[in-house]
Amino acid sequence: MGPYRDQVEASVREGFQVTKIQFMTKYLRTRKNGLTPSDSDRSAYSTVGKALLATTVVFVLGFMVFGASGMTNNQALGLLSETTVIFALLAS
């Protein structure tokens, strides 16, 4: 299970890192253009927010497959990952 788990973990990390990089790039660009931190935050979310939502939906749907598995370990991975991804989106 080791290599398989590592592949799943790596793909999840990559998906979130790309979205975070997009957000931070947009935020820093607007800060350099003179916007306040709160305005830069709003601007970044208005641009990157759709990508954050799409990434979350794709990951949750993908992990629902694990949650529907007949294997207990896969079910636990799926349910915990879904919950974590949803809370991460809500927290941001």
Side-chain angles (χ1 to χ4, degrees), residues 4-5 7 10 14 21 31-33 36 38 40 44-46 49 51 60 63 66 69 71 76 79 84 88:
Y4 177 69
R5 186 196 69 206
Q7 291 171 353
E14 290 297 317
I21 290 169
R31 286 289 293 145
K32 286 180 183 177
N33 289 336
T36 64
S38 60
S40 294
Y45 273 115
S46 70
V60 168
F63 283 120
F66 282 105
S69 171
M71 297 174 61
L79 295 174
T84 302

Side-chain angles (χ1 to χ4, degrees), residues 10-84:
S11 66
V12 170
R13 274 192 315 228
E14 290 297 317
F16 283 116
Q17 287 175 356
V18 167
T19 308
K20 281 195 259 182
I21 290 169
Q22 289 174 336
F23 178 82
M24 289 306 298
T25 301
K26 176 67 175 175
Y27 177 83
L28 292 174
R29 188 176 301 142
T30 55
R31 286 289 293 145
K32 286 180 183 177
N33 289 336
L35 268 68
T36 64
S38 60
D39 289 338
S40 294
D41 194 44
R42 275 189 226 104
S43 176
Y45 273 115
S46 70
T47 305
V48 183
K50 293 176 186 176
L52 282 168
L53 184 60
T55 302
T56 301
V57 168
V58 167
F59 278 130
V60 168
L61 291 174
F63 283 120
M64 286 176 75
V65 173
F66 282 105
S69 171
M71 297 174 61
T72 306
N73 289 342
N74 286 349
Q75 286 176 343
L77 170 72
L79 295 174
L80 289 172
S81 298
E82 290 171 25
T83 305
T84 302

